[in-house]
């Protein structure tokens, strides 16, 4: 009996010693001392000062001055000062082990507000044409009480309707007239909500607050892709991160902490559920399957990313008891959905999908053919985007090599999981950006481990990391704000779109040069749309050669009862100039040509938008 007590006591002493060496425990001891350092006081002051300066900077911003670099060239020095102070204050928090989680949360939420609420506060209306399109789809679902007939190229939303059905239900339950009222605030609210599953994911790997909040800061500093607007992708991605976090939390390698002598300890109590047992509690498994079902019914791409992530997580034998049941359920639900509800779309596009499997190199670099030259600033923004993305993957790879303990987690597997999907399909030229988006949550924690894992000299460590954090944030600003001249809509542009939606008889054709038109799809189930940036290269060449004759092939059905409406606007001009999809001066040339042709009657005209009506050639 004495020998048993001695052995038990020795093991308990060893465990206590290991836990004491864990940085979180040491930080707890310091916090209990009640002493507040100068760094803490400085960080606490910088947060409200930065937010005040940010709000102050938004009083006078000349949005009309946006060109090559979007918001970057019109935001005042005060805005950049606020962003810098916010980053410096966060670095000060990281340098002090006594920092409470609430201050980390304040800074990360402040960063979200500064980045994502700035356009919302500055712009008079909803930004980004695709957000307007999704508002129109939600309104159409309500009008038709479900599936929208005569949806044309937007019929894909009838086959993945989960996001729109939920919004329609919300609008009808609350009595709101349209999703436009809250869609404007989607980016800041969505990113704030996304913080919860990100923290849940990071806590499955470590309990070190510096690493957890550092990873969250890095995620928001590198998430330049902009898939955070009112869209099925944003909704599905939120559920994807939540589901992966729940799966990661059940893995037998979760919540491992590295001690000072490079050993691993596991904290918690298996009986209370803190330590994963490798088995799914029934309630949690049901929740995971419900999340998977909602994802599968809401977006065509995210289920593929989900299946890919689950496949790579199942590679280690120790994970299979947890991952394989979820993988089997996700595959089964995806197959059932694609074979029933989504069957029309799958059947129509199966050949193209199979063909793309044989062209992985083309999928990675695909994009629209241009007839002009992209704006110099747009080229710079594109290079910064790509450099930031490359830096994220390089830093994550270095972390994998330099921090051996992360190899026992599923982080590296989650980073590479989107790559097979990237090689399989171009997804309209956007797959490379989506792959980056899905890899970013795990990559952010790897970078945080590389830069912020507790060393012998934490202050110097953070001092060295702070410039890199500032550079990452600067890269985000280029990617997120650099294209805003085409994403921003003036009041006159919004009125032009609404004018067409309100006056065009059913069956009228609505024509635009690009999709950068607010309200272009407000009655898409009644009025077919033609966007020339989505047309074949030959069609665009004919249009550039002769704007009037180039239109004729798309307006053959126009009549006095069902005329065609051609919308030319400021945002389209900015879009053309940025991307080079058409010659930079083409908007001016087309407007001049139509104004001189008596068959095209201007029915709406302001400095930012003009609408022509075409009723057919007069005999």
């Amino acid at each position: 009996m004495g020998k048993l007590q001695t052995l038990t006591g020795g093991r308990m002493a060893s465990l206590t010693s290991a836990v004491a060496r864990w940085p979180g425990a040491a930080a707890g001891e310091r916090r209990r001392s009640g002493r507040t350092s100068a760094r803490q006081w400085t960080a606490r002051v910088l947060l409200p000062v930065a937010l005040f300066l940010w709000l102050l900077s938004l009083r006078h911003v000349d949005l009309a001055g946006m060109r090559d670099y979007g918001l970057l060239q019109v935001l005042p020095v005060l805005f950049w000062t606020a962003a810098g102070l916010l980053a410096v204050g966060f670095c000060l928090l990281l340098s002090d082990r006594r920092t409470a989680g609430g201050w980390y949360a304040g800074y990360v939420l402040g960063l979200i507000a500064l980045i994502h609420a700035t356009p919302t506060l500055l712009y008079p209306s909803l930004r980004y044409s695709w957000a307007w399109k999704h508002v129109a789809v939600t309104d159409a679902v309500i009008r038709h009480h479900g599936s929208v007939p005569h949806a044309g190229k937007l019929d894909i939303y009838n086959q993945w309707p989960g996001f729109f059905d939920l919004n329609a239900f919300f609008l009808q339950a609350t009595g709101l007239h349209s999703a436009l009222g809250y869609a404007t605030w989607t980016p800041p609210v969505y990113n704030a909500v996304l913080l919860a599953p990100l923290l849940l994911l990071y806590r499955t790997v470590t309990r070190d607050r510096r690493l957890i909040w550092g990873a969250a800061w890095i995620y928001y500093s590198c998430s330049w892709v902009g898939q955070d607007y009112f869209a099925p992708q944003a909704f599905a991605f939120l559920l994807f991160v939540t589901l992966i976090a729940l799966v990661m939390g059940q893995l037998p390698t979760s919540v491992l902490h590295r001690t000072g002598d490079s050993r691993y300890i596991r904290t918690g109590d298996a009986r209370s559920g803190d330590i994963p047992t490798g088995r799914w509690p029934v309630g949690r498994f049901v929740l995971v399957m419900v999340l998977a079902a909602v994802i599968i019914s809401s977006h065509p791409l995210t289920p593929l990313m989900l299946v890919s992530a689950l496949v790579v997580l199942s590679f280690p034998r120790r994970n299979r008891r947890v991952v394989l049941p979820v993988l089997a359920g996700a595959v089964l639900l995806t197959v059932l959905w694609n074979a029933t509800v989504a069957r029309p779309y799958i059947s129509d596009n199966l050949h193209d999908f199979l063909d793309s499997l044989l062209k992985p190199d083309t999928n990675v670099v695909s994009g629209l053919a241009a007839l002009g030259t992209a704006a110099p600033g747009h080229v710079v923004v594109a290079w910064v985007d790509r450099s930031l993305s490359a830096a994220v993957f390089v830093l994550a790879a270095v972390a994998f090599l330099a921090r051996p303990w992360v190899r026992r987690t599923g982080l590296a597997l989650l980073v590479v999981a989107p790559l097979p999907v990237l090689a399989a399909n171009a997804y309209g030229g956007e797959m490379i950006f989506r792959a980056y988006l899905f890899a970013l949550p795990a990559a952010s924690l790897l970078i945080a481990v590389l830069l912020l894992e507790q060393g012998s000299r934490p202050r110097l460590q953070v001092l060295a990391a702070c410039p890199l954090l500032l550079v990452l944030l600067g890269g985000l600003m280029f990617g997120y704000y650099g294209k805003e001249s085409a994403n921003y809509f003036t009041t006159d542009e919004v009125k032009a779109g609404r004018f067409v939606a309100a006056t065009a008889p059913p069956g009228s054709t609505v024509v635009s040069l690009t999709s950068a038109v607010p309200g272009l799809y407000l009655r898409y189930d009644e009025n077919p749309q033609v966007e020339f940036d989505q047309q074949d290269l030959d069609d665009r060449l004919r249009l550039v050669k002769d704007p009037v004759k180039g239109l004729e092939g798309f307006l053959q059905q126009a009549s006095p009862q069902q005329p065609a409406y051609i919308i030319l606007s400021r945002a389209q001009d900015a879009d053309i100039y940025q991307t080079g999809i058409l010659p930079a001066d083409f908007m001016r040339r087309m407007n001049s040509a139509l104004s001189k042709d008596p068959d095209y009657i201007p029915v709406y005209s302001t400095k930012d938008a003009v609408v022509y009506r075409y009723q057919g050639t007069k005999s």
Side-chain angles (χ1 to χ4, degrees):
M1 184 69 178
K3 184 177 180 180
L4 177 61
Q5 289 176 340
T6 301
L7 179 60
T8 305
R11 289 180 176 175
M12 289 298 294
S14 177
L15 179 59
T16 302
S17 176
V19 173
R21 287 194 297 270
W22 177 38
E29 291 296 328
R30 289 182 180 82
R31 277 199 310 278
R32 283 192 287 271
S33 66
R35 181 180 177 184
T36 302
S37 68
R39 290 194 307 279
Q40 285 183 308
W41 279 117
T42 304
R44 293 178 183 183
V45 170
L46 284 180
L47 177 59
V49 169
L51 295 178
F52 174 75
L53 293 179
W54 163 59
L55 292 173
L56 198 63
S57 72
L58 303 183
R59 293 185 306 163
H60 304 292
V61 177
D62 180 20
L63 296 176
M66 288 193 289
R67 197 60 174 165
D68 285 34
Y69 293 98
L71 274 177
L72 291 174
Q73 62 197 98
V74 298
L75 288 171
V77 174
L78 206 58
F79 175 88
W80 303 111
T81 302
L85 290 177
L86 201 65
V88 170
F90 186 75
C91 289
L92 289 175
L93 292 183
L94 293 174
S95 68
D96 196 322
R97 299 178 183 178
R98 292 174 292 179
T99 301
W103 285 103
Y104 284 124
Y107 266 91
V108 172
L109 290 173
L111 180 68
I112 292 171
L114 183 140
I115 295 171
H116 300 287
T118 292
T120 301
L121 293 173
L122 288 177
Y123 298 172
S125 63
L126 178 65
R127 69 185 278 270
Y128 196 41
S129 59
W130 281 80
W132 281 89
K133 182 184 295 187
H134 296 146
V135 169
V137 174
T138 304
D139 292 345
V141 168
I142 294 175
R143 288 201 312 272
H144 294 282
H145 307 287
S147 182
V148 181
H150 313 297
K153 59 187 176 183
L154 298 191
D155 186 57
I156 187 174
Y157 295 132
N158 285 331
Q159 295 164 59
W160 281 276
F163 170 79
F164 302 103
D165 288 345
L166 286 174
N167 276 278
F169 174 78
F170 174 78
L171 288 171
Q172 292 173 317
T174 58
L176 295 175
H177 177 68
S178 170
L180 190 62
Y182 58 83
T184 303
W185 284 95
T186 297
V189 172
Y190 164 81
N191 280 283
V193 173
L194 179 62
L195 179 59
L198 283 175
L199 296 178
L200 180 63
L201 173 62
Y202 298 152
R203 282 179 60 84
T204 66
V205 177
T206 179
R207 291 289 193 263
D208 188 334
R209 285 195 306 277
R210 296 170 71 253
L211 299 183
I212 292 172
W213 288 104
W217 178 277
I218 291 169
Y219 173 84
Y220 289 111
S221 296
C222 297
S223 185
W224 65 268
V225 177
Q227 289 295 324
D228 53 13
Y229 59 97
F230 184 73
Q233 173 68 97
F235 174 67
F237 181 72
L238 174 68
L239 300 183
F240 169 87
V241 177
T242 305
L243 190 154
I244 293 299
L246 292 173
V247 171
M248 287 283 287
Q250 289 300 122
L251 296 182
T253 54
S254 67
V255 203
L256 285 171
H257 305 288
R258 193 173 74 111
T259 64
D261 54 1
S262 298
R263 290 183 297 160
Y264 297 88
I265 62 169
R266 191 190 302 276
T267 61
D269 182 357
R271 291 172 299 177
S272 65
D274 291 338
I275 296 178
T277 61
R279 292 185 177 90
W280 278 104
V282 175
R284 192 173 300 179
F285 183 78
V286 171
L287 173 61
V288 166
M289 286 295 95
V290 169
L291 292 175
V294 177
I295 290 172
I296 291 164
S297 67
S298 298
H299 194 248
L301 173 63
T302 307
L304 301 181
M305 292 293 189
L306 175 62
V307 169
S308 182
L310 293 173
V311 167
V312 298
L313 283 177
S314 69
F315 286 168
R317 186 184 300 273
R318 61 181 177 271
N319 293 347
R320 292 175 186 172
R321 176 178 287 184
V322 170
V323 177
L324 288 181
V326 182
L327 175 59
V331 170
L332 177 62
L333 291 173
T334 301
V335 171
L336 287 175
W337 187 269
N338 291 343
T340 55
V341 180
R343 183 177 180 179
Y345 179 85
I346 298 297
S347 300
D348 292 343
N349 294 273
L350 183 60
H351 178 270
D352 293 338
F353 176 72
L354 294 177
D355 186 56
S356 69
L357 291 176
L358 303 177
K359 304 175 182 178
D361 55 332
T362 304
N363 297 331
V364 173
V365 299
S366 64
L368 285 172
L371 294 179
T373 303
H378 185 75
V379 174
V380 172
V381 168
W383 277 108
V384 172
D385 292 345
R386 285 148 182 78
S387 299
L388 176 61
S389 303
V392 166
F393 284 110
V394 169
L395 290 171
V398 173
F400 180 78
L401 297 174
R403 302 289 187 263
W405 70 271
V406 300
R407 301 172 197 171
R408 299 190 61 183
T409 70
L411 294 176
L413 295 173
L414 292 174
V415 171
V416 301
L419 299 183
V421 184
L422 168 63
N425 194 274
Y427 203 69
E430 291 189 2
M431 186 61 82
I432 190 169
F433 306 135
R434 303 300 176 93
Y436 173 79
L437 173 69
F438 281 87
L440 185 58
S444 297
L445 183 53
L446 285 173
I447 297 172
V449 171
L450 175 67
L451 300 179
L452 305 173
E453 188 176 46
Q454 192 66 59
S456 58
R457 308 182 76 177
R459 295 180 190 177
L460 291 178
Q461 185 181 20
V462 172
L463 183 63
C466 192
L468 181 57
L469 296 180
L470 285 169
V471 169
L472 294 177
L473 182 57
L476 177 280
M477 294 295 186
F478 270 84
Y480 199 77
Y481 288 159
K483 305 169 187 176
E484 285 303 291
S485 59
N487 293 336
Y488 152 69
F489 302 119
T490 65
T491 302
D492 286 341
E493 290 177 274
V494 174
K495 289 180 179 178
R498 288 177 171 170
F499 170 82
V500 173
T503 60
S508 301
T509 303
V510 181
V511 180
S512 63
L513 296 181
T514 78
S515 62
V517 181
L520 180 66
Y521 286 84
L522 285 177
R523 310 289 295 188
Y524 73 95
D525 52 318
E526 298 177 358
N527 302 318
Q529 290 77 28
V530 174
E531 302 161 52
F532 272 95
D533 61 346
Q534 302 298 318
Q535 303 306 315
D536 293 337
L537 182 60
D538 290 341
D539 291 329
R540 284 183 279 137
L541 284 170
R542 283 190 289 269
L543 184 71
V544 170
K545 183 178 180 180
D546 188 325
V548 174
K549 289 185 178 180
L551 280 173
E552 289 178 355
F554 297 90
L555 307 181
Q556 294 177 355
Q557 303 301 319
S559 66
Q561 293 74 35
Q562 295 179 327
Y565 292 82
I566 299 92
I567 304 178
L568 306 178
S569 61
R570 180 210 60 81
Q572 291 181 78
D573 190 36
D575 197 12
I576 290 170
Y577 171 71
Q578 281 186 348
T579 62
I581 192 70
L582 292 166
D585 65 340
F586 183 71
M587 179 77 73
R588 177 187 58 79
R589 287 171 46 205
M590 186 168 186
N591 189 25
S592 176
L594 296 184
S595 66
K596 295 175 182 177
D597 192 309
D599 291 333
Y600 292 87
I601 305 168
V603 292
Y604 180 92
S605 181
T606 66
K607 68 181 182 65
D608 290 329
V610 59
V611 178
Y612 291 94
R613 184 176 65 220
Y614 175 78
Q615 301 179 162
T617 304
K618 297 182 178 67
S619 56

